Amino acid sequence: MNEYEPNSMLQNIEKQPKKPNKLVVILSGVIAILILIIIFMIAFGGTDVVVTETERLQSLDEVSEELKYFIDENKLDALDVYGFDDLTRVAINKICSGVYNCTQINGSAVEKYINDIFDKEVTFSDVNCELNDGVLYTYDSENNTFVWNNNHTGHGGTGTKALYTKVNSIKRDGDKIKLVLNKLYYNPLQSDYITTDPLGINRVYDAKDYMHTTENGEDIDLTKLSANYENNFDKLKNIGTRYSYTFVKKDGHYVVEDYDVIGNEE
């Protein structure tokens, strides 16, 4: 064989076509599919996905805690003293809370409070003392201002803050919530007893049994009082006065639609 004559086996190998790399083929296919998907999405647009979030219905225990805070924050214990027919005085009590020498109150602030908390409008006039001994605030219609009456006889007022509050019952009726509260009050100017009302009428405990010494003198031991009341609540829950609030929601927040005082069932 001539040394320059091509080897027939080598020629056959050179003539066979090269097989394409499998990985390259797969990647090319994937890229092509992705390109087609992108083109399709651009051409026809994607479908909007609507996610509807259902608001979780609060448990009645959660609602009762929220409403107790609402009552405390807006000083609504004052309803127990002034009643649902004197919302102006309830509003002034809240506005003047923590304010030294609160002798002039803007009518716009009173109006806003009543609208926000009770969803009501009122016609302003002079505000009488809850003890029926004369005008407490004179209403100045020209300046829309309530002005303290300096001629009013000085005397101790009625407490508008309960010592302790306990949920008696809570019910949901459609969009309304009815909350009934038991409360304990103590006013040494009214009574020597801890009572279920701010006027010191319906007695529960002798105050001297719950006194302890503080930096400011003698005061009620709330830890002892609340523990004893909780332990005996089943016996006491329908004794004395209770307070019923009907709440509805307006614009995402609660308002007091109705309020009532429930008498003694002893």
Side-chain angles (χ1 to χ4, degrees), residues 48-67:
D48 293 334
V49 178
V50 178
V51 179
T52 302
E53 182 178 344
T54 302
E55 183 180 355
R56 181 181 69 86
L57 187 65
Q58 288 181 297
S59 71
L60 288 177
D61 286 341
E62 291 174 318
V63 174
S64 67
E65 289 303 311
E66 184 176 347
L67 293 178

Side-chain angles (χ1 to χ4, degrees), residues 174-215:
D175 63 345
K176 297 184 180 183
I177 298 289
K178 185 173 183 178
L179 176 70
V180 177
L181 297 178
N182 287 49
K183 300 181 186 181
L184 295 178
Y185 280 96
Y186 174 61
N187 185 346
L189 298 177
Q190 300 270 354
S191 172
D192 293 329
Y193 291 85
I194 296 169
T195 61
T196 61
D197 60 282
L199 298 179
I201 298 171
N202 295 293
R203 300 175 178 180
V204 182
Y205 300 117
D206 192 331
K208 70 175 182 291
D209 295 332
Y210 292 90
M211 287 293 180
H212 70 154
T213 303
T214 68
E215 294 179 356

Side-chain angles (χ1 to χ4, degrees), residues 45-243:
T47 302
D48 293 334
V49 178
V50 178
V51 179
T52 302
E53 182 178 344
T54 302
E55 183 180 355
R56 181 181 69 86
L57 187 65
Q58 288 181 297
S59 71
L60 288 177
D61 286 341
E62 291 174 318
V63 174
S64 67
E65 289 303 311
E66 184 176 347
L67 293 178
K68 280 176 61 181
Y69 177 81
F70 180 90
I71 290 168
D72 184 62
E73 181 71 10
N74 293 292
K75 310 299 181 186
L76 293 180
D77 285 342
L79 284 169
D80 307 345
V81 180
Y82 308 130
F84 203 52
D85 294 328
D86 196 356
L87 299 184
T88 300
R89 185 71 198 280
V90 175
I92 290 175
N93 180 78
K94 161 62 177 175
I95 294 166
C96 286
S97 178
V99 178
Y100 176 72
N101 200 26
C102 190
T103 57
Q104 292 194 33
I105 300 97
N106 191 305
S108 297
V110 174
E111 184 178 23
K112 183 178 187 306
Y113 174 90
I114 294 173
N115 184 257
D116 288 348
I117 304 303
F118 302 100
D119 192 26
K120 290 180 178 291
E121 295 180 359
V122 293
T123 301
F124 292 150
S125 60
D126 294 346
V127 177
N128 293 319
C129 178
E130 69 276 8
L131 299 180
N132 297 317
D133 60 355
V135 173
L136 199 63
Y137 289 93
T138 301
Y139 178 60
D140 178 356
S141 58
E142 184 176 346
N143 296 303
N144 190 24
T145 304
F146 291 90
V147 182
W148 172 260
N149 177 17
N150 287 318
N151 295 322
H152 184 266
T153 304
H155 55 71
T158 305
T160 58
K161 170 66 177 174
L163 278 176
Y164 190 70
T165 299
K166 170 80 174 173
V167 174
N168 182 295
S169 65
I170 181 169
K171 296 179 181 178
R172 181 185 279 121
D173 184 10
D175 63 345
K176 297 184 180 183
I177 298 289
K178 185 173 183 178
L179 176 70
V180 177
L181 297 178
N182 287 49
K183 300 181 186 181
L184 295 178
Y185 280 96
Y186 174 61
N187 185 346
L189 298 177
Q190 300 270 354
S191 172
D192 293 329
Y193 291 85
I194 296 169
T195 61
T196 61
D197 60 282
L199 298 179
I201 298 171
N202 295 293
R203 300 175 178 180
V204 182
Y205 300 117
D206 192 331
K208 70 175 182 291
D209 295 332
Y210 292 90
M211 287 293 180
H212 70 154
T213 303
T214 68
E215 294 179 356
N216 299 317
E218 288 284 296
D219 202 357
I220 297 294
D221 185 342
L222 289 179
T223 301
K224 179 181 177 181
L225 175 66
S226 60
N228 198 22
Y229 191 68
E230 289 283 347
N231 290 336
N232 294 281
F233 187 65
D234 288 341
K235 296 178 181 179
L236 299 172
K237 65 184 300 183
N238 294 322
I239 294 176
T241 308
R242 280 144 293 132
Y243 306 90

